[in-house]
Structure formats: structure tokens, C-alpha cells
Amino acid sequence: MKRPAIAILAIGAIVAFDQIVKQLVERHMDYHQMIELVPFFALFRTHNQGIAFSMLSGLGPLPLIVISLGVIAFVLWLWRGSAPERWISHAGFALIIGGAIGNLIDRVWHGYVIDYFLFHTPVWSFAVFNLADAAITVGAGLVILDELIAWWRQRGVEKAE
């Protein structure tokens, strides 16, 4: 972590925005209410008792809280061991941790995660997700992208030698 203050600010912003949106959804939408925004995207309030795609929903909140804490600790460990110039990975780690904390707060407070984004067509729909999930996904994508860039650069160096 080259700039911990920026990282902490980014993580805090993700968590705060995620929690504000979730509270707005909880207060102003009925359970399973759908608000169509465009023909393929809607707000749809639901609760996820599990993790991604409702996996492990039968475990209950406590094991999922422990798993979430383990994931956050693992990502922090990866982040701490990454080179200072790997700013793309650092941004990805911040997004992953911010999203994980946002969903962890839901799990601790409610026993489930509040989801509300729904991509759909008349015959298909994607899993309902939230801003924290999006941050985790984009963050993971950034870490993978940075790994590919590092691999590509290393490969170029090896070819030049």
C-alpha cells in the first residue's frame, strides 16, 4: 500500500455509498418490488441469504460473516505484498475490500445482503446484485488486468534478452 490514506478514503467512500443506496432501497421500495428504469434494467428489492448467486444460503449468517472476514484478510494480505507501482491492483484491492465490507455490514446488521440491481429481458434475467457486488467484480477485474499487464511486460523483457 503506497498511499494508505487514499486507500482508506476510497474504501470508506465505497462502503458509505453502498450503505446509503441500500438504506434508500429498504426505506422506499417494497420487498420484491420492481421499478423499471430502462427496458433491460430495473431496481428490484430482494434479500440474499447467501453469497454470490445465493450460494451457501443455507449456512446462516455467522459462517458467511466468518468467510467474509477471511476474504477481507486475504485481500489485505495480497495487497500488502504487492509492489507499490502496481496501482491498478491497488485500486482493485480497494474496490474488493470496500464491497466486501459493505456486504459484511448487511450480514451483521440484517442477517442477509440487500440486493437491488436487475438486468433482464422478457425471457432472461441476471442475478440481482448491489453496488458492493459491482465494486467486488470491477476490483477483481482490475487485479486480473494488472496481472495480465505484468505478465505481458515480463514476457516482453524476456524476449528482449
Side-chain angles (χ1 to χ4, degrees), residues 50-74:
I51 57 172
F53 305 103
S54 295
M55 292 184 300
L56 307 177
S57 60
L59 286 180
L62 185 58
L64 297 178
I65 288 168
V66 172
I67 290 169
S68 297
L69 290 170
V71 168
I72 291 167
F74 178 67

Side-chain angles (χ1 to χ4, degrees), residues 142-161:
L142 288 174
V143 172
I144 292 167
L145 174 64
D146 196 42
E147 287 298 318
L148 289 171
I149 290 169
W151 171 79
W152 180 71
R153 285 182 179 155
Q154 182 61 34
R155 194 168 164 218
V157 167
E158 289 171 0
K159 283 185 179 181
E161 294 175 347

Side-chain angles (χ1 to χ4, degrees), residues 63-97:
L64 297 178
I65 288 168
V66 172
I67 290 169
S68 297
L69 290 170
V71 168
I72 291 167
F74 178 67
V75 173
L76 283 168
W77 178 78
L78 289 174
W79 192 351
R80 189 168 184 264
S82 66
E85 65 274 2
R86 301 283 298 269
W87 64 271
I88 296 173
S89 282
H90 294 200
F93 293 140
L95 287 169
I96 293 167
I97 291 169

